[in-house]
Amino acid sequence: MTALMEQGEICRPIGFVPTMGYLHQGHLSLVHRARQECRTVVVSIFVNPTQFGVNEDFDSYPRDLSRDLEMLEPMGVDIVFCPPVREMYPDGYQTFVDVEQLAQILCGARRPGHFRGVTTVVLKLVNIVKADLMYMGEKDFQQCVVLETMLRELNQACRIIRCPIVREADGLAMSSRNVYLSPEDRQKASCLHQAIQLAQRLCRDGKDKADEVIPVLTELILSRGGQIDYIAIVDHVSLQPVDVVDTRSRLLLAVRFGKTRLIDNGAIA
Ligand code: AMP
């Protein structure tokens, strides 16, 4: 801890990377950016039970702390914070944070209570870590918008630094949940990125109406065996559907392959 103190002061800015562990290059890209920009870097590894629904994968979520610590070893992280569940949520815990509208749509509509768990744990972590900057991936686009809203509306000084999506060679966005995919589903799942690229091509060719683009993407994903949770083209701030695609629009996808639910997104204009 003394290495982090300078004349009794913690070296700021403190850059914070919250994760649920089972790290991959997407997570490490956030740590790398934080290391470049901050004097102190804190990474948390915490599989947060309150953001999982009752029938979701909290128990089976992939965990491997020693592998995670090995991956972080060369990254120059100052603190890895891995709190036990009972420390974050002692018996009788009863305080939650809700971002009302933004948390009810898209992933929030399919995963009731999910964002309430996310906002609650992230506010607790930001307060514990005393983070100045929080590094988050645009892979979880709605999460970025919800958390920025929460930090702003609750007068938190911490700011989110959004980082680009890191992808596998075939375009699949890296995710800890990709390990659930069977080899066949893993191959099929590359259609999410193909759908984003197809939407970009359609828009370049002047097909910029959401109700022209979405059916074409639907057909592509269904033909590859994906079960669509939603395909939406939304305003990047309000997350409300748009009729015509422009530079403020974002394509958001949530698709199941087998039992695995994947999300992806991209700008398409
Ligand atoms: P998670 O461990 O899934 O909760 O993710 C922790 C952080 O890593 C979140 O800010 C995610 O958006 C970010 N992240 C996850 N996957 C990627 C990726 N493929 N590219 C960039 N950031 C990612």
Side-chain angles (χ1 to χ4, degrees), residues 17-21 23-27 29-30 51 61 135-140 143-144 163-167 173-177:
V17 183
T19 82
M20 297 207 299
L23 302 179
H24 51 66
Q25 291 302 320
H27 297 113
S29 72
L30 310 180
Q51 71 189 68
Y61 194 83
Y135 291 80
M136 310 213 81
E138 282 203 318
K139 154 89 177 5
D140 298 273
Q143 175 170 281
C144 285
C163 301
I165 302 172
V166 177
R167 299 180 178 281
M174 289 190 182
S175 165
S176 307
R177 288 191 167 98

